[in-house]
Every structure is written in structure tokens, then in C-alpha cells.
Amino acid sequence: MKVVAIVGMAGSGKSEVAKIFEHHGFAKVRFGDITDREISQRGLELSEENERYIRQQLRQEHGMSAYAKLSLSRIDRLLKSANVVVDGLYSWEEYILLKSRYGDQFTVVAVWASPQTRYSRLAKRLVRPLTAEETVSRDIAEIEDTNKGGPIAIADFIIMNESSLEALERETKRVLAALK
């Protein structure tokens, strides 16, 4: 069985790629669900500010590999019956933890889109839209505070996502075929 982690900056298309993997039989683990649950349990409004606060709190409590660490039992359980796609690898430390645990079964797929493209997408999305200022702030935090650049740089595959959903699906299917 395989564990494929999808990494990319906000608005790059990570979740769309994960959906395509899911449609091809992969069980999905979305790291962001941990943040969403915490926000709900604490009775907070879903906002970029609260999401960032929760992410920081979880990393202070569990270390920089928090999301991977908190998802290991779920990934292991799902791996018993299916390949797993992880939507949203965030940090170098998460990469190290998952790579050390799953070895050659672990693959990273980076989804890349230009800042201009990502910012436009994030402003238009229906759930959790972000302003340009929020997106720039998030980019800086993800690069400087969560060490997101490492997993993107070391990815086994890169999917360019600058045009249509159809093109993204074609590129994702290319990666799926290479993983067989």
C-alpha cells in the first residue's frame, strides 16, 4: 500500500488533486480537518486568524510534526484496506516523520501555481475565502514558520496548476499512472 502526500501553497489546488486520487480508490486524510475540529470544539468562528491560532497551538503542544503525528493512527488504519492520500502536508518535520514511518511506500506530490493564480482562486473560493493580505501573510507563515518549502523542493512529482480543472486532472492522472 502507498501513502501519497499532497503539498503546495494555499490555493495551489492540493485539495482538487487529493479528490482525484480519492476518485481513483485512495482513502483521503485531510490534515486541515484537525484544525477544523479544534475550531469547532472551542466554539470559534472559522476564519484565517483562528485557523492560524489553532495551527500554532497544536504545533506548540505536539511539535512541528503535529498534523502527521495526530494522523498516524488513521493513516495506518486506512492503509489496511487502501492506498492513502494525505491532503495538505505542511512541514518538513511532517515529511521526515511520514518518510521514516512509511519509507518507500511514501511519495510526495507538489502542486504548484503562481502567487497571482493562487491569490485569485483564494479570493473567489466559497469556503474560507482569503483577501490578498491574508494570503500573503499565510504564504509567509507557511514558508518561515512551518518549513513548507522543504517538502515542495523534495517532491517526487510536481503538478503545474495554472489553467483548467481538466488540465489538472490530466496531470494528476499522469502521476497516478506513474505510481502503479
Side-chain angles (χ1 to χ4, degrees), residues 45-59:
E45 177 187 339
L46 189 60
S47 69
E48 175 60 23
E49 182 181 341
N50 287 335
E51 287 178 28
R52 184 176 299 188
Y53 170 75
I54 294 298
R55 288 191 299 264
Q56 290 170 343
Q57 291 284 303
L58 289 170
R59 289 188 182 107

Side-chain angles (χ1 to χ4, degrees), residues 4-170:
V4 177
I6 312 298
V7 63
M9 302 302 287
S12 63
K14 296 180 302 297
S15 294
E16 292 299 326
V17 169
K19 281 182 202 172
I20 296 165
F21 270 80
E22 196 174 17
H23 290 290
H24 285 83
F26 281 68
K28 184 170 79 173
V29 174
R30 181 178 170 266
F31 281 2
D33 288 346
I34 295 168
T35 303
D36 294 348
R37 272 194 306 276
E38 279 292 315
I39 285 173
S40 177
Q41 288 172 356
R42 296 179 190 201
L44 300 171
E45 177 187 339
L46 189 60
S47 69
E48 175 60 23
E49 182 181 341
N50 287 335
E51 287 178 28
R52 184 176 299 188
Y53 170 75
I54 294 298
R55 288 191 299 264
Q56 290 170 343
Q57 291 284 303
L58 289 170
R59 289 188 182 107
Q60 285 175 358
E61 184 178 339
H62 300 282
M64 288 301 292
S65 62
Y67 286 84
K69 195 180 297 181
L70 294 169
S71 300
L72 286 176
S73 63
R74 183 159 182 240
I75 293 169
D76 289 344
R77 187 174 67 255
L78 292 169
L79 270 176
K80 291 177 182 173
S81 59
N83 292 316
V84 174
V85 62
V86 174
D87 178 359
L89 181 66
Y90 293 110
S91 74
W92 178 248
E93 292 80 2
E94 289 169 350
Y95 168 84
I96 295 295
L97 176 64
L98 294 172
K99 185 66 174 174
S100 68
R101 185 164 184 112
Y102 301 111
D104 291 341
Q105 291 178 288
F106 182 63
T107 302
V108 176
V109 176
V111 183
W112 187 90
S114 69
Q116 180 180 1
T117 298
R118 293 185 303 101
Y119 296 1
S120 174
R121 288 177 185 155
L122 290 168
K124 294 176 191 169
R125 73 180 179 187
L126 299 176
V127 178
R128 299 179 354 259
L130 299 178
T131 66
E133 296 79 22
E134 288 171 326
T135 305
V136 170
S137 176
R138 184 167 179 174
D139 278 358
I140 291 167
E142 288 184 348
I143 293 166
E144 293 180 352
D145 301 337
T146 65
N147 310 321
K148 199 175 212 181
I152 293 171
I154 205 163
D156 300 288
F157 297 93
I158 296 174
I159 295 173
M160 303 296 282
N161 185 18
E162 282 289 301
S163 61
S164 66
L165 278 173
E166 294 78 18
L168 179 64
E169 187 168 357
R170 273 193 309 276

